[in-house]
Structure formats: C-alpha cells, structure tokens
C-alpha cells in the first residue's frame, strides 16, 4: 500500500481512523477551493455539503481512536450520521462548535430546494467560524496541519454586503419564496446576534 510520487515513497493511510482523517482533509480543502471561486453560483451548497462531510469524517476518526472501530457503526451496519457523531463527541448541544456545525448542516439540508445566492451574506460569518474551528480541531486531534503554509490565503472568507430586504427578494423570486428566504436570513442573523462568539460566527464589519 505504497505509492511513488516524484521519487518519494509515501505510505498510504492504514487504519480506518487514518483513512477518515485523510478524507476529511481532502473534503475540507475542496470546500475552501470551491467557496473561494465567486463565479460559482452553487458555491454555498457545495461548501456546506463538503464542510459537513469533512466534519463527519473527522469526528468518526476521533471516535474510533477513543472508542474503537465498532463505535461508529449502528446495529444495521450503517455508520452514525453527523448529528450522532457530534452528540457523542461534544456532549452538550450548547457546545459552540457543535452549534456551528449544526447551523451549516441546516443549510446543507436545504440545498436540494432552497439555496439562493443571497444567503451567502448571512452565512459567511458561520462559514468563517467553521473554517477556523476545523483547522484548530484537526490539528488538535491528528497532530497535523490540514493545509500547507503556502495555502493560508485560502482561508480568507469575507463579507460586507448588506442582506437584501424581504421586498427585494419578493421582487426577484415572487412573494412566497422571497418571504421564505427573508425569514431564513432573519433567523440566522438572530442566532448570530444571540451568540456572539467566534466559535459560532466570525462577523467581519
């Protein structure tokens, strides 16, 4: 299980935990690369899906190290989902890293029917906190940096645009859909204001 790359022999990850950590790193990097391409209209859902996948793989790797391979499997042979892994590792729903993951997971779950580009304004602070949380947690749990030093520029997620109003959204998408998107923006803004902590959201003003 070794491959030769540019004259250097690299050992492939052997254990299930190591393979999960490697996949988590790959999906995290891909999430960053896609989000930092503003030409992509679906970059919000792409980031949310890949970010949540990376966290699920990272959590499963950590739970395996702590409790053994069998812990991540259910009785029917399937593995536990993201929420179950968060509950097992973070214990309390009030844990801010878990709250951040859960908020981004809500966006992922909406991705099949209700993600509009305008949501990027309100979700950007959650994404920024999620990136920092993942970087710190990956290093703490694996002892490795998820990104090489020259790639630090990929971490620059920015915001600064005002959220569109319900009227603006209704004009663009119709009254029913516009009001629905506006309600999501208000709900996320309320959560950010209620929990002003950088592990939940990093607001750039």
């Amino acid at each position: 299980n070794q491959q030769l790359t540019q004259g250097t022999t690299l050992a492939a990850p052997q254990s299930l935990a190591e393979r999960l950590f490697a996949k988590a790193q790959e999906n995290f990097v891909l999430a960053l690369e896609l989000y930092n391409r503003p030409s992509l209209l679906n970059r919000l859902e792409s980031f949310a899906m890949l970010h949540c996948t990376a966290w699920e793989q990272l959590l499963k790797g950590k739970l395996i190290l702590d409790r053994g391979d069998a812990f991540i499997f259910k009785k029917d042979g399937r593995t536990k989902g993201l929420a179950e892994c968060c509950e097992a590792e973070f214990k309390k729903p009030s844990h801010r890293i878990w709250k951040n993951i859960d908020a981004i997971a809500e966006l992922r779950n909406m991705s099949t029917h209700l993600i509009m580009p305008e949501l990027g304004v309100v979700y950007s602070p959650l994404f920024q906190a999620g990136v920092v949380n993942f970087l710190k947690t990956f290093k703490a749990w694996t002892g490795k940096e998820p990104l090489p030093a020259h790639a630090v520029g990929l971490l620059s997620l920015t915001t600064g645009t005002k959220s569109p109003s319900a009227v603006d959204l209704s004009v663009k998408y119709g009254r029913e859909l516009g009001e629905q998107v506006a309600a999501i923006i208000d709900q996320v803004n309320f959560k950010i204001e209620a929990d002003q902590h950088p592990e939940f959201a990093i607001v750039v003003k």
Side-chain angles (χ1 to χ4, degrees):
N1 291 329
Q2 293 185 331
Q3 63 184 109
L4 198 64
T5 305
Q6 296 180 347
T8 303
T9 302
L10 301 176
Q14 296 297 313
S15 69
L16 179 56
E18 289 175 332
R19 293 197 298 273
L20 285 165
F21 288 149
K23 293 299 294 182
Q25 182 180 15
E26 289 176 5
N27 282 309
F28 173 72
V29 171
L30 185 55
L32 282 177
E33 290 178 348
L34 290 178
Y35 191 80
N36 280 280
R37 294 171 61 183
S39 60
L40 290 178
L41 295 179
N42 66 333
R43 66 193 187 118
L44 292 179
E45 55 260 55
S46 297
F47 179 89
M49 287 187 285
L50 288 165
H51 183 77
C52 289
T53 299
W55 264 113
E56 184 173 332
Q57 291 165 334
L58 181 62
L59 283 160
K60 285 177 177 175
K62 175 65 159 51
L63 291 169
I64 285 172
L65 289 181
D66 292 344
R67 312 191 194 189
D69 291 11
F71 183 80
I72 68 167
F73 290 95
K74 301 179 181 180
K75 293 180 180 180
D76 61 5
R78 294 181 301 164
T79 58
K80 296 176 180 177
L82 178 59
E84 294 167 298
C85 291
C86 284
E87 181 178 7
E89 179 61 32
F90 298 125
K91 306 296 190 284
K92 297 180 180 180
S94 59
H95 194 291
R96 287 192 176 93
I97 292 181
W98 183 2
K99 288 174 67 176
N100 176 269
I101 295 170
D102 187 59
I104 296 175
E106 288 180 2
L107 181 68
R108 176 200 62 181
N109 296 340
M110 289 191 292
S111 65
T112 56
H113 64 286
L114 191 67
I115 288 193
M116 308 303 179
E118 290 81 4
L119 291 175
V121 177
V122 70
Y123 271 95
S124 181
L126 296 173
F127 289 174
Q128 289 167 165
V131 165
V132 175
N133 291 342
F134 188 94
L135 286 169
K136 290 181 177 179
T137 307
F138 188 93
K139 176 68 181 295
W141 290 355
T142 70
K144 301 176 182 178
E145 296 285 355
L147 294 173
H150 71 268
V152 67
L154 288 173
L155 305 182
S156 180
L157 304 179
T158 60
T159 184
T161 306
K162 291 182 65 177
S163 299
S165 68
V167 174
D168 295 333
L169 293 167
S170 294
V171 169
K172 184 173 182 179
Y173 296 115
R175 181 177 177 181
E176 183 178 352
L177 183 56
E179 290 180 350
Q180 195 173 356
V181 175
I184 294 170
I185 291 173
D186 288 342
Q187 182 183 35
V188 175
N189 274 326
F190 177 80
K191 290 180 179 179
I192 292 173
E193 289 296 324
D195 191 350
Q196 297 184 15
H197 193 282
E199 285 186 343
F200 181 68
I202 298 175
V203 180
V204 179
K205 297 183 179 180

